[in-house]
Amino acid sequence: MEKEIGIHCLGFNMSRSLNELDKRIIYALQEDARNVSAPMLADEMDVSLGTIRNRIGHLEDDGIIKGYHADIDYERCESRLTNLFVCNTSASEQESLARQALSVPRVVNVRELRSGRENLQICRVE
């Protein structure tokens, strides 16, 4: 039985129906995307490789799988590797500025805070 789930993405509300196979793929990738391959998922889930690749492609196209990345602890990489910019911005401009900051080369993280001052933190790698 398929369940409808709501997805919130950059201010848009959209619904996408995920079936059990989609959920199993998402779970496997979120558990260990680095060591999971499409052929492994196909074998484990007893479906064809093409089915797995198509499902992953649809999940990526729909914005449900947003990417694959290394989760780096920059504090342990010697502080000279990163710059942290703490900014003040109006609440109405915060989301737009955060999106713009993410498009700057070597910006690896943007944190939007719900406080009055110093409410936008931008981390950039040297």
Side-chain angles (χ1 to χ4, degrees), residues 73-124:
D73 183 347
Y74 290 103
E75 291 178 11
R76 297 186 66 177
C77 293
E78 301 178 17
S79 61
R80 70 179 185 271
L81 292 178
T82 61
N83 296 309
L84 177 63
F85 301 94
V86 179
C87 310
N88 297 319
T89 183
S90 68
S92 62
E93 293 181 313
Q94 187 179 32
E95 185 177 342
S96 172
L97 291 173
R99 268 194 247 124
Q100 289 176 34
L102 282 170
S103 70
V104 173
R106 298 193 315 261
V107 167
V108 294
N109 188 15
V110 175
R111 183 176 296 160
E112 296 177 61
L113 305 175
R114 301 294 175 219
S115 63
R117 297 186 49 74
E118 299 181 347
N119 59 354
L120 190 64
Q121 297 179 352
I122 302 166
C123 183
R124 184 172 180 268

Side-chain angles (χ1 to χ4, degrees), residues 13-30:
N13 252 337
M14 40 194 282
S15 291
R16 183 199 192 288
S17 182
L18 295 179
N19 66 22
E20 197 59 36
L21 183 59
D22 293 327
K23 293 175 189 176
R24 289 177 66 195
I25 291 168
I26 291 168
Y27 179 77
L29 291 174
Q30 93 183 34

Side-chain angles (χ1 to χ4, degrees), residues 43-63:
D43 286 344
E44 180 182 315
M45 297 178 191
D46 198 29
V47 296
S48 73
L49 179 57
T51 296
I52 293 294
R53 287 189 174 145
N54 286 337
R55 293 294 180 110
I56 290 173
H58 289 301
L59 292 167
E60 291 170 345
D61 292 344
D62 292 342

